[in-house]
Amino acid sequence: MRKTIIVSNRLPVKITRKNEEIVLMPSEGGLATGLGSVYREGSNVWIGWPGQEVSDLAEQEELTTALGKLNLLPVYLTAEEINQFYEGFSNEVLWPVFHYMSTYARYEQSYWDYYMRVNEKFKEAVLAVAEPGDVIWVQDYQLLLLPGLLRTDLPDASIGFFQHIPFPSYELFRLIPWREELLNGILGADLIGFHTFDDARHFIGSCVRLLAFHASANTITVNDRNVMVETFPMGIDNRKFESLSATAGVQNQVQVLGKRFQQMRIILSIDRLDYSKGILQRLQGFDLFLQNHPEYVEKVGLAMIIVPSRDTVPQYKELRDQIDQLVGNINARYRTMGWSPIHYFYRSFPLDILTALYNLADICLVTPMRDGMNLVAKEYVASRIHNNGVLILSEMAGASKELIDAIVVNPNNTNAIAEAIAIALSMPLTEQQQRMKAMRQMVAKFNVYHWVKLFMTTLDDVKKAQQSMQARRISPGMAQEMVHDYVHAGKRALFLDYDGTLVDFNVNREDANPDPDLYKLLNNLASDPQNQLVLISGRHHTNLEQWFGELPIDLIAEHGAWHKLQGGAWTQIPGLTDQWKAEIQPILETFTDRTPGALIEEKSFSLVWHYRKVEEGLGDLRANELMDTLRYYIADKPLQLLPGDKVIEIKNVEINKGKAALAWMKDETFDFILGIGDDFTDEDIFKVLPANAYTIKVGNYVSAARYYLRSFREVRQLLKMLVQEKNALKLQ
Ligand code: GDG
């Protein structure tokens, strides 16, 4: 049976020893909860580091057995590996850069060496249990290379990757010395998930700028695989927080804590110690609030929980000292005999106390500088079973994209934080309820189970789409069948596109001229008296004449506006007008003048705006703008807009390769029809040819063609095979 393998840096378990016995405490974290329903089932497994160094082999064996009973499989890391791979590369390179704090990054070569080595180690652990058909789901930034490593060993595996922290803009990401390797690693996955659309967009942007892969909308074509990049905003187990909030135990805690806080209005703040969390700015905002609103002195308390983390790293230690200082300073300035404004805890609490605090707090103040999602915000919302309370949320947290009914603030704007607190404290109950209800609905619908299910079904869909593409790729067996039909056919029609089909795409169109090998191939095909060979291209007819005018083949140029039968003269379709050019040409010129690298090509009945040489990004932006402008201008004209690969073509609507192919065939019948093309415009040919025709798309894109080939090289190979097999038959 196919199984699911989850891989993350840490296993979802806390390990302690009691009287020499190993005690395993399942972790309560959001990810562990969500994936609990997956990894505990059947032969599924979760692979990860157990969270502590275990160097003794006997001890390792004992722990492996104990973990195995919970479907957990440990990857043991040495102290040096933890230090360099985890503390080093993960937390001192990736973490700061991905959280837009690139000045904190330390690009040490040894960090990178260990990062590669440990990702390899994880790969070995996966390979030890993976079987054909298994689904592998890799989690987070510590394992960016793992999908790529797995892809090399398991080319057909179904691999998903989800990143829990932000993916930064290209301008930040490009700073990393090993940026291409990281992207190639991630692209080993079939489905790549992020919390927000911006993260996905940044990732795709980095891929197209740094790697030579083609991206269309949210799909990146990596060699033969279509990789999907999607957003899956992670949720929480909302029911757990709701039901826990309703228990007598938690309600009791709420009473007790309420008394301790002397019935003050409570503002709650919970974070792990981290510079990405905006803790100092939050304190400054609170300071400003007390300064601007002295009426709240003795009436409000900030309960601030900071969970210890990485405090051996100098930056974290420094941050901790700064927080201590600022808290002390604010308390000293505002405190009265019976009241102090900040209740600061540098420790973690059990879940029931945390839930009691969520219940008690009138306001939850979540103002990170950057956060992939931020689950605290969602947990607060889920715990507000009476629909009261106000969430103040940073616009830099992924959660702000969903929780739009929060008071959303820029965390750098301490004035805005201060004002948001004042607004929240005076917000009427009806407005609180209205906002909280909407947020609770959102948190309930997009809960963590929904997240897991959506990711897994999307991964399944992506794999199925890849497989159906694969099934239509011409295999040696399918080629044999085609050869059989070809050699036994009496009369054949062969429609071949040129650019991208018979030759590679070239940045300079004029450089994509035919080579001797291609001439030989076309001559060989054409010399078979049973063949009628038609070169059908968007190129200018004078260009086709120059390159192929002497060949014994038929030519259709400019998408069908012109044609020339063997030995005859060029003829154009009657009744076409090009008067529209006078109006459209100046528009294209304006765009060309504004866009370095762009150029206009004029054909008899079309104008083409090329932007292949324009700076990445700018070209697409201008192309969209041009499309919008042109749509307006052509509305009352018989023209068609054809957006292609870095080109926009405007042509008479009567012209199309499909119509041209049909007109060429007239009412003749053929025993074998072949149509090959790579472009959007070739789809018209595929659509009009009879169902038994061999239609072949070059490239890995959705198409009306029956079959696929990877490149112009494979096209030539196939055509050569047809010639050879036919000749071989003749000799027999
Ligand atoms: C990454 C991303 C993204 C906190 N204090 C206590 C405690 N917590 C729990 C909370 C919450 C979790 O820790 C923290 O949630 P975050 O959302 O900040 O997530 P991280 O795991 O730090 O990090 C983040 C997340 O992944 C998920 O994709 O949202 O952006 O950085 O669940 O409840 N739990 C207990 N006591 C505490 O004192 N028991």
Side-chain angles (χ1 to χ4, degrees):
M1 212 184 82
R2 96 173 189 177
K3 64 177 175 300
T4 302
I5 302 170
I6 293 167
V7 200
S8 70
N9 175 49
R10 273 294 303 272
L11 282 176
V13 71
K14 268 193 220 97
I15 302 164
T16 47
R17 281 193 180 262
K18 204 173 171 191
N19 306 329
E20 294 297 298
E21 285 290 302
I22 294 175
V23 182
L24 301 177
M25 292 278 292
S27 142
E28 288 163 345
L31 186 65
T33 313
L35 294 175
S37 55
V38 178
Y39 82 89
R40 290 200 189 94
E41 265 186 30
S43 55
N44 293 350
V45 61
W46 188 324
I47 297 175
W49 175 52
Q52 48 185 252
E53 197 199 347
V54 187
S55 43
D56 182 76
L57 285 182
E59 244 182 83
Q60 282 189 3
E61 217 178 296
E62 186 195 0
L63 185 57
T64 304
T65 312
L67 289 168
K69 290 181 189 147
L70 300 177
N71 286 8
L72 302 173
L73 190 83
V75 176
Y76 293 105
L77 301 180
T78 65
E80 193 57 9
E81 283 170 342
I82 295 159
N83 186 23
Q84 303 251 17
F85 144 80
Y86 180 63
E87 312 286 358
F89 198 79
S90 302
N91 291 340
E92 287 192 46
V93 178
L94 297 176
W95 182 272
V97 176
F98 283 24
H99 285 88
Y100 292 73
M101 306 284 273
S102 65
T103 47
Y104 283 6
R106 291 183 53 204
Y107 305 114
E108 300 283 344
Q109 182 63 38
S110 67
Y111 288 176
W112 171 245
D113 294 341
Y114 271 90
Y115 189 76
M116 288 194 292
R117 190 187 299 180
V118 172
N119 271 259
E120 280 277 350
K121 216 167 172 174
F122 273 82
K123 178 195 83 173
E124 294 304 330
V126 176
L127 290 185
V129 294
E131 288 163 308
D134 287 352
V135 175
I136 305 165
W137 189 4
V138 180
Q139 307 286 331
D140 228 358
Y141 67 105
Q142 300 90 352
L143 300 174
L144 298 182
L145 301 178
L146 184 57
L149 294 172
L150 289 170
R151 179 63 58 203
T152 312
D153 283 80
L154 306 169
D156 300 323
S158 184
I159 304 174
F161 171 78
F162 188 84
Q163 178 158 306
H164 292 263
I165 66 172
F167 195 94
S169 126
Y170 166 67
E171 289 304 329
L172 269 289
F173 182 74
R174 72 196 293 201
L175 299 174
I176 303 176
W178 308 276
R179 57 204 187 175
E180 284 91 357
E181 289 92 328
L182 292 170
L183 292 180
N184 278 316
I186 302 170
L187 286 170
D190 300 303
L191 174 63
I192 297 166
F194 296 99
H195 284 303
T196 70
F197 171 67
D198 281 335
D199 300 321
R201 181 168 76 75
H202 292 154
F203 175 73
I204 296 171
S206 291
C207 287
V208 293
R209 284 176 165 83
L210 292 167
L211 307 174
F213 294 130
H214 178 90
S216 166
N218 63 344
T219 301
I220 304 178
T221 307
V222 181
N223 305 324
D224 277 344
R225 264 177 327 116
N226 277 347
V227 174
M228 189 192 255
V229 184
E230 256 300 354
T231 51
F232 300 93
M234 187 177 162
I236 58 162
D237 182 355
N238 65 307
R239 277 162 298 191
K240 181 169 97 181
F241 284 90
E242 274 171 23
S243 50
L244 206 57
S245 299
T247 58
V250 166
Q251 284 307 324
N252 214 9
Q253 283 291 353
V254 175
Q255 296 300 326
V256 174
L257 288 169
K259 275 198 194 119
R260 293 259 163 83
F261 286 115
Q262 304 156 333
Q263 312 304 338
M264 277 183 291
R265 311 282 300 275
I266 297 296
I267 303 167
L268 180 64
S269 145
I270 302 179
D271 312 91
R272 198 169 44 71
L273 178 72
D274 201 286
Y275 47 75
S276 66
K277 299 292 183 183
I279 300 168
L280 293 173
Q281 291 81 349
R282 191 178 314 159
L283 284 168
Q284 283 156 4
F286 183 64
D287 184 349
L288 212 56
F289 159 76
L290 290 174
Q291 198 178 313
N292 296 347
H293 297 274
E295 66 275 20
Y296 284 109
V297 165
E298 294 195 326
K299 298 198 175 74
V300 165
L302 172 64
M304 193 167 86
I305 297 170
I306 294 185
V307 179
S309 167
R310 307 177 195 171
D311 54 5
T312 50
V313 178
Q315 281 136 1
Y316 287 75
K317 202 179 152 329
E318 193 185 327
L319 174 64
R320 194 188 155 188
D321 292 345
Q322 286 171 329
I323 295 169
D324 283 353
Q325 245 179 37
L326 193 51
V327 169
N329 179 298
I330 295 171
N331 273 345
R333 276 187 292 124
Y334 294 98
R335 84 179 321 150
T336 61
M337 282 304 170
W339 173 81
S340 66
I342 305 175
H343 301 256
Y344 170 35
F345 306 86
Y346 186 67
R347 50 166 291 194
S348 67
F349 287 94
L351 191 65
D352 57 336
I353 304 275
L354 201 71
T355 314
L357 284 166
Y358 284 145
N359 272 269
L360 184 70
D362 300 271
I363 297 170
C364 191
L365 189 55
V366 184
T367 57
M369 291 291 139
R370 282 285 157 184
D371 219 332
M373 173 51 70
N374 194 295
L375 299 180
V376 167
K378 292 188 171 181
E379 290 167 4
Y380 175 69
V381 168
S383 305
R384 303 306 297 180
I385 49 178
H386 303 299
N387 295 327
N388 56 359
V390 182
L391 173 66
I392 300 174
L393 182 58
S394 159
E395 65 184 53
M396 311 296 176
S400 70
K401 304 287 175 347
E402 293 167 274
L403 303 179
I404 53 171
D405 289 286
I407 300 181
V408 177
V409 292
N410 172 352
N412 292 299
N413 187 342
T414 42
N415 265 312
I417 295 177
E419 262 332 278
I421 296 173
I423 291 168
L425 285 169
S426 59
M427 188 182 284
L429 183 61
T430 47
E431 187 182 342
Q432 292 181 29
Q433 288 173 329
Q434 203 184 343
R435 287 171 179 252
M436 194 55 80
K437 256 190 200 161
M439 291 195 283
R440 281 188 66 200
Q441 273 168 9
M442 183 69 92
V443 170
K445 177 157 188 222
F446 294 94
N447 64 27
V448 72
Y449 301 105
H450 180 81
W451 178 77
V452 172
K453 200 167 143 209
L454 200 63
F455 190 94
M456 295 300 253
T457 46
T458 313
L459 179 54
D460 241 26
D461 292 345
V462 171
K463 208 65 206 171
K464 278 190 197 131
Q466 281 181 4
Q467 280 158 354
S468 93
M469 207 75 127
Q470 199 80 27
R472 290 157 68 192
R473 175 153 295 132
I474 298 182
S475 61
M478 281 150 88
Q480 279 310 325
E481 201 183 301
M482 188 186 302
V483 166
H484 176 270
D485 287 357
Y486 177 85
V487 295
H488 291 99
K491 199 170 151 197
R492 314 183 194 98
L494 315 177
F495 295 98
L496 304 179
D497 165 53
Y498 181 68
D499 292 273
T501 301
L502 294 175
V503 291
D504 205 357
F505 253 117
N506 206 304
V507 177
N508 295 318
R509 278 172 65 78
E510 52 287 358
D511 291 345
N513 50 336
D515 51 277
D517 181 62
L518 179 62
Y519 277 128
K520 190 173 159 208
L521 175 62
L522 294 177
N523 271 315
N524 283 341
L525 279 168
S527 66
D528 186 328
Q530 288 159 282
N531 280 351
Q532 294 194 40
L533 181 54
V534 190
L535 207 65
I536 182 163
S537 162
R539 279 189 180 257
H540 203 281
H541 69 286
T542 53
N543 185 186
L544 287 196
E545 176 61 29
Q546 186 196 351
W547 284 347
F548 303 106
E550 299 300 312
L551 259 53
I553 62 175
D554 293 350
L555 299 173
I556 297 179
E558 302 180 35
H559 301 301
W562 291 85
H563 65 268
K564 178 191 161 190
L565 301 181
Q566 259 185 73
W570 280 101
T571 331
Q572 92 184 42
I573 331 182
L576 293 178
T577 166
D578 67 351
Q579 281 177 0
W580 55 268
K581 282 186 185 170
E583 194 179 341
I584 301 295
Q585 178 110 19
I587 302 171
L588 299 188
E589 272 160 13
T590 318
F591 274 76
T592 309
D593 289 345
R594 289 168 58 205
T595 317
L599 57 98
I600 302 168
E601 181 191 4
E602 183 174 358
K603 299 185 201 168
S604 314
F605 298 101
S606 74
L607 289 172
V608 193
W609 194 71
H610 291 265
Y611 61 97
R612 187 169 295 281
K613 290 187 196 166
V614 177
E615 177 191 353
E616 187 67 52
L618 176 65
D620 292 325
L621 183 89
R622 285 280 190 273
N624 282 335
E625 209 182 318
L626 179 59
M627 284 291 283
D628 282 347
T629 311
L630 290 175
R631 257 185 223 114
Y632 167 76
Y633 276 99
I634 69 158
D636 58 348
K637 297 181 184 63
L639 295 177
Q640 188 190 11
L641 288 179
L642 277 182
D645 193 352
K646 304 286 181 205
V647 294
I648 293 176
E649 181 148 10
I650 307 106
K651 64 173 185 59
N652 289 51
V653 74
E654 302 93 322
I655 306 171
N656 118 10
K657 281 185 173 180
K659 283 186 187 167
L662 274 187
W664 179 90
M665 288 201 287
K666 293 191 212 91
D667 296 325
E668 279 189 68
T669 47
F670 294 89
D671 308 312
F672 180 95
I673 302 175
L674 174 68
I676 314 183
D678 72 307
D679 195 25
F680 182 64
T681 57
D682 299 313
E683 293 296 316
D684 292 326
I685 310 182
F686 303 148
K687 284 181 205 150
V688 300
L689 292 184
N692 65 350
Y694 282 96
T695 48
I696 303 174
K697 175 86 171 179
V698 185
N700 219 349
Y701 314 106
V702 176
S703 168
R706 285 169 66 200
Y707 303 101
Y708 282 89
L709 280 176
R710 290 184 180 101
S711 67
F712 77 99
R713 283 189 199 84
E714 288 194 350
V715 174
R716 288 196 191 188
Q717 217 175 356
L718 179 78
L719 294 174
K720 279 180 192 167
M721 197 158 106
L722 295 178
V723 173
Q724 278 161 8
E725 295 294 320
K726 177 69 201 312
N727 289 343
L729 199 74
K730 257 197 302 201
L731 292 174
Q732 277 173 15

